[in-house]
């Protein structure tokens, strides 16, 4: 491709609303153009990258035995009402009406549609297992679209759905899909990690997320460098302290804290470690008031909390509700002396192991020090793991200590079980002629998100550094003086034709621009290899090669240039 026949629309500066490097660089390089909040047009350069991601995904899915389909983006409400998710999805689902005032949605996912297909087309165990996939546009009405295509409202997703006679068959396909995802992200040149994850709104029994590792990632991941353990912080278990709770050594006493409303402020005033303080997080579930106790240096894990009995639909209590139950403003709350007939007390494992701790006194401007379980307050109604793990915590597999990194979710696989097949009456006849619900699996990849995740991992001050498998072009040919020098033009045209014939995608910059402009654009758009052709180097029988990733410069003989570049592509 020649730039004179292509469309390059690079910018010197990114728009002010762009936050992450990937968002800034995708706009500056002209990969995408913003249409509206969370809505982007993929421009020719960006679409080349997107199609390369799709090609690798499609190839590995086909190798894994999945069959490609294409389902409608617009879905009738009846299916979602049948599954019970029409209301459960909430405002994230874009609901629309046709001219007859019938309800539809722009599909955020396709479990209902594919299950409807399966229940009408699959009748016998002899037809199973089957795995269908599609690469298609989804829409989720994010409350705050941000970070470009990482958190867009409209996006491209690969979603696959498998159907099975039993759980053993589902597990077999789950392993196959886990391997396929590993192959996909490896081929795309990404640094990634698979972690155990929460199934969230999709549901199911087991799931794994695949994350592209980057400091800017939205998710915190816990992993053990001494073992294979890895999990999203939402799911990673915080083990109970190994040591028994110490005996009480202090008397409980009031502490005057006139301006100290946080654990950090109280710890500083008293000159103690933050880990000796206890904070209260007040929740409501139905009409029941809950006090969640955590160490001052820990954070509440909302996913774990929502899995506790009686807290499935919890929300944070309002200040009015807090005052109603405790007659105290937030900032001074504590568990001592509360009415346990009206308030459920849940303590994190680490709090249940504390002695002589500091907490709120349930009266303004005071805290309590030297508080102990059993002596000063009854044991908690429930002791549970309700906190996020932190670096240094014991690994749940007992093989070391946890470390925390960040990642952007680019894939998620689920063992759905019979959640949707039972709701939608998706059944088959087994070998004995008995009707049974199909076991299901679900496997998603954020195709458009992968492009941004790759850029988050690999960029510098000059622009994008694309992994070779997804770069829009493999080689940039930059002839200096192409419009003025016959020798440069002839050499550039000859090498361009040879590279194209070898199956290498080349962008020949034949614009009448200054060398600095051409170099800056080629670096910005992230082409892995650059060959510069100029009169001076040609006179010496050489061309200049520059690696975008490594930055190294090398002089290559004119006659050796084709073989040199072919070697870079392994051909």
């Amino acid at each position: 491709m020649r730039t004179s026949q292509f469309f390059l629309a690079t910018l010197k500066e990114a728009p002010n609303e762009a936050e992450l490097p990937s968002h800034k660089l995708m706009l500056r390089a002209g990969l995408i153009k913003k249409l509206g909040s969370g809505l982007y047009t993929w421009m020719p350069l960006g679409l080349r990258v997107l199609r390369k991601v799709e090609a690798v995904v499609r190839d590995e899915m086909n190798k894994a035995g999945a069959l490609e389909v294409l389902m409608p983006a617009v879905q009738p409400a009846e299916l979602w009402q049948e599954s019970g998710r029409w209301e459960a999805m909430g405002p994230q689902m874009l609901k629309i009406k046709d001219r007859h005032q019938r309800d539809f949605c722009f599909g955020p996912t396709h479990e209902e549609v594919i299950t409807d297909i399966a229940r009408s087309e699959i009748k016998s165990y002899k037809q199973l297992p089957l795995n269908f996939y599609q690469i298609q546009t989804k829409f989720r009405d994010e409350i705050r679209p941000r970070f470009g295509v990482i958190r867009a409202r409209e996006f491209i997703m690969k979603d696959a759905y498998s159907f099975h006679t039993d759980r053993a068959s589902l597990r077999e396909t789950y392993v196959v899909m886990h391997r396929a995802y590993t192959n996909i992200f490896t081929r795309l040149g990404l640094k990634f990690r698979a972690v155990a994850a929460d199934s969230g709104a999709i549901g199911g029994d087991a799931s794994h997320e695949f994350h592209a590792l980057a400091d800017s990632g939205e998710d915190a991941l816990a992993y053990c460098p001494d073992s294979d353990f890895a999990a999203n912080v939402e799911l990673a278990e915080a083990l109970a302290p190994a040591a028994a709770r110490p005996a009480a050594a202090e008397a409980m006493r009031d502490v005057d804290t006139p301006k100290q409303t946080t654990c950090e402020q109280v710890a500083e005033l008293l000159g103690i470690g933050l880990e000796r303080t206890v904070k209260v997080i007040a929740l409501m579930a139905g009409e029941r008031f809950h006090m969640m106790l955590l160490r001052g240096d820990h954070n509440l894990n909302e996913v774990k909390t929502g899995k506790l009995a009686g807290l499935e639909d919890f929300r944070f209590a309002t200040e009015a509700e807090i005052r109603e139950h405790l007659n105290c403003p937030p900032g001074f709350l504590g568990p001592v002396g509360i009415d346990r007939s009206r308030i459920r007390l849940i303590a994190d494992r680490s709090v249940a192991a504390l002695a002589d701790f500091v907490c709120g006194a349930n009266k303004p401007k005071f805290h309590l020090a030297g508080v102990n379980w059993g002596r000063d307050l009854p044991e908690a109604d429930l002791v549970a793991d309700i906190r996020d793990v932190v670096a240094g915590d014991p690994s749940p597999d007992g093989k070391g200590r946890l470390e925390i990194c960040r990642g952007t979710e680019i894939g998620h696989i689920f063992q759905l079980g019979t959640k949707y097949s039972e709701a939608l009456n998706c059944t088959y006849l087994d070998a004995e002629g008995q009707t049974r619900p199909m076991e299901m699996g679900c496997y998603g990849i954020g195709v458009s998100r992968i492009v941004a995740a790759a850029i988050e991992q690999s960029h510098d001050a000059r622009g994008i550094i694309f992994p070779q498998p997804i770069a829009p072009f493999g080689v940039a040919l930059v002839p200096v003086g192409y419009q003025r020098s016959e020798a440069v033009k002839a050499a550039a045209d000859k090498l361009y034709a040879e590279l194209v014939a070898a199956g290498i995608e080349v962008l020949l910059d034949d614009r009448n621009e200054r060398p600095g402009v051409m170099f800056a654009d080629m670096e910005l758009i992230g082409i892995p290899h650059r060959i510069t052709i100029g009169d001076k180097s040609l006179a010496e029988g050489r061309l200049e090669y520059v690696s975008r990733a490594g930055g190294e410069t090398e002089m290559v003989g004119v006659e050796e240039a084709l073989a040199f570049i072919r070697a870079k592509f392994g051909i």
Side-chain angles (χ1 to χ4, degrees):
M1 182 67 67
R2 297 171 181 267
T3 54
S4 59
Q5 300 169 339
F6 196 62
F7 183 79
L8 283 182
T10 58
L11 302 172
K12 289 186 178 181
E13 301 291 338
N16 291 332
E17 75 270 13
E19 301 173 76
L20 293 186
S22 61
H23 191 192
K24 294 176 181 178
L25 290 171
M26 290 182 77
L27 290 169
R28 282 193 57 212
L31 271 64
I32 56 174
K33 295 292 181 184
K34 183 177 179 180
L35 176 64
S37 177
L39 303 172
Y40 293 90
T41 297
W42 286 83
M43 301 300 287
L45 194 70
L47 192 60
R48 291 180 68 90
V49 180
L50 192 66
R51 293 293 183 244
K52 290 190 175 187
V53 174
E54 289 181 5
V56 172
V57 170
R58 182 173 281 111
D59 184 52
E60 289 295 335
M61 290 300 296
N62 292 342
K63 288 178 180 177
L67 303 170
E68 188 169 9
V69 298
L70 184 60
M71 293 176 272
V74 176
Q75 306 174 23
E78 289 82 3
L79 280 177
W80 288 80
Q81 291 163 347
E82 195 175 349
S83 72
R85 291 206 297 173
W86 182 252
E87 298 298 335
M89 286 294 288
Q92 192 179 51
M93 179 188 284
L94 179 63
K95 297 177 179 179
I96 53 180
K97 291 181 181 290
D98 67 5
R99 67 176 65 196
H100 304 291
Q101 297 302 299
R102 292 176 298 206
D103 288 318
F104 291 83
C105 69
F106 194 116
T109 184
H110 276 71
E111 283 81 9
E112 281 79 2
V113 176
I114 197 68
T115 306
D116 181 59
I117 292 171
R119 69 180 175 182
S120 63
E121 299 296 331
I122 301 172
K123 303 301 180 184
S124 168
Y125 72 96
K126 296 179 181 179
Q127 296 171 272
L128 298 172
L130 282 170
N131 191 0
F132 300 105
Y133 80 96
Q134 65 174 350
I135 297 175
Q136 193 236 39
T137 299
K138 300 283 193 291
F139 188 94
R140 296 177 187 173
D141 200 359
E142 296 281 352
I143 190 170
R144 183 172 166 248
R146 61 195 189 278
F147 308 149
V149 299
I150 285 183
R151 185 63 67 184
R153 293 196 293 167
E154 183 178 287
F155 55 94
I156 296 174
M157 180 179 177
K158 187 283 299 176
D159 47 324
Y161 308 91
S162 62
F163 297 87
H164 309 267
T165 56
D166 55 32
R167 188 59 59 90
S169 174
L170 169 58
R171 285 195 290 267
E172 288 177 5
T173 296
Y174 190 84
V175 170
V176 170
M177 295 306 293
H178 192 290
R179 186 182 308 120
Y181 275 41
T182 299
N183 293 342
I184 288 167
F185 301 132
T186 300
R187 284 181 59 182
L188 293 175
L190 299 174
K191 298 183 285 291
F192 69 95
R193 186 179 289 273
V195 301
D198 179 66
S199 296
I202 300 298
D205 300 324
S207 74
H208 283 82
E209 293 172 347
F210 290 78
H211 285 262
L213 304 181
D215 292 339
S216 60
E218 289 187 285
D219 295 292
L221 314 175
Y223 69 98
C224 179
D226 301 316
S227 72
D228 293 331
F229 176 82
N232 194 303
V233 164
E234 290 180 341
L235 191 67
E237 181 183 8
L239 298 180
R245 181 199 297 165
E250 300 178 14
M252 187 173 72
R253 61 198 183 277
D254 281 348
V255 178
D256 187 11
T257 53
K259 298 181 180 179
Q260 288 74 23
T261 59
T262 68
C263 287
E264 289 82 1
Q265 292 168 341
V266 172
E268 182 180 4
L269 176 71
L270 300 181
I272 61 174
L274 191 57
E275 71 280 359
R276 288 188 56 194
T277 66
V278 170
K279 60 187 173 186
V280 170
I281 298 178
L283 305 179
M284 294 295 296
E287 298 301 316
R288 190 77 185 274
F289 188 87
H290 295 70
M291 292 179 71
M292 317 297 288
L293 302 187
L294 293 120
R295 269 181 16 188
D297 57 336
H298 290 158
N299 293 319
L300 181 72
N301 185 304
E302 295 182 34
V303 170
K304 294 178 183 178
T305 300
K307 291 182 178 181
L308 299 179
L311 281 166
E312 293 85 356
D313 297 310
F314 79 87
R315 61 175 175 81
F316 292 97
T318 65
E319 183 170 345
E321 289 167 332
I322 291 171
R323 288 181 180 272
E324 175 190 348
H325 287 84
L326 298 171
N327 193 30
C328 180
F332 303 97
L333 308 182
V336 178
I338 63 174
D339 182 355
R340 297 285 282 273
S341 67
R342 299 178 64 222
I343 299 173
R344 186 183 183 201
L345 189 64
I346 299 178
D348 182 67
R349 291 168 173 173
S350 60
V351 172
L354 287 179
D356 301 324
F357 59 86
V358 176
C359 63
N362 283 329
K363 58 182 179 180
K365 301 183 180 181
F366 281 94
H367 281 72
L368 294 174
V371 180
N372 284 274
W373 293 103
R375 186 193 71 185
D376 305 316
L377 75 162
E379 300 291 339
D381 297 307
L382 177 66
V383 174
D385 172 22
I386 58 172
R387 71 173 176 92
D388 289 339
V389 294
V390 296
D393 279 343
S395 177
D397 63 5
K399 296 181 180 179
R401 297 278 172 178
L402 294 179
E403 294 185 12
I404 307 295
C405 65
R406 301 202 68 82
T408 296
E409 183 187 340
I410 51 176
H412 203 160
I413 59 178
F414 305 83
Q415 291 184 38
L416 293 176
T418 58
K419 174 180 177 177
Y420 295 95
S421 55
E422 288 182 349
L424 295 166
N425 195 30
C426 179
T427 62
Y428 71 97
L429 293 178
D430 66 13
E432 285 72 43
Q434 298 296 311
T435 299
R436 299 187 182 279
M438 298 181 204
E439 296 280 344
M440 289 178 59
C442 172
Y443 321 92
I445 287 179
V447 175
S448 47
R449 180 180 281 194
I450 283 174
V451 180
I455 295 170
E456 285 297 323
Q457 284 190 349
S458 192
H459 64 273
D460 60 18
R462 298 188 301 276
I464 300 167
I465 306 174
F466 271 121
Q468 188 165 289
I470 62 173
F473 297 93
V475 177
L477 278 185
V478 182
V480 178
Y482 183 85
Q483 309 292 340
R484 303 186 307 273
S485 170
E486 287 298 325
V488 167
K489 184 177 186 302
D493 288 346
K494 179 175 181 294
L495 182 55
Y496 173 75
E498 290 172 341
L499 290 170
V500 170
I504 297 171
E505 294 176 312
V506 188
L507 182 62
L508 171 60
D509 196 342
D510 58 355
R511 295 177 295 173
N512 187 22
E513 287 282 3
R514 292 177 289 108
V517 172
M518 294 191 288
F519 293 153
D521 279 349
M522 296 305 111
E523 289 177 330
L524 174 61
I525 65 180
I527 298 177
H529 309 284
R530 189 182 82 208
I531 293 284
T532 303
I533 304 172
D535 279 320
K536 184 177 179 181
S537 61
L538 274 180
E540 299 171 352
R542 299 189 299 171
L543 309 175
E544 181 188 69
Y545 165 80
V546 178
S547 166
R548 181 68 185 91
E552 66 271 11
T553 300
E554 188 174 347
M555 300 307 294
V556 180
V558 172
E559 298 304 322
E560 290 79 45
L562 176 60
F564 178 86
I565 292 297
R566 285 173 62 103
K568 295 290 182 183
F569 288 84
I571 57 177

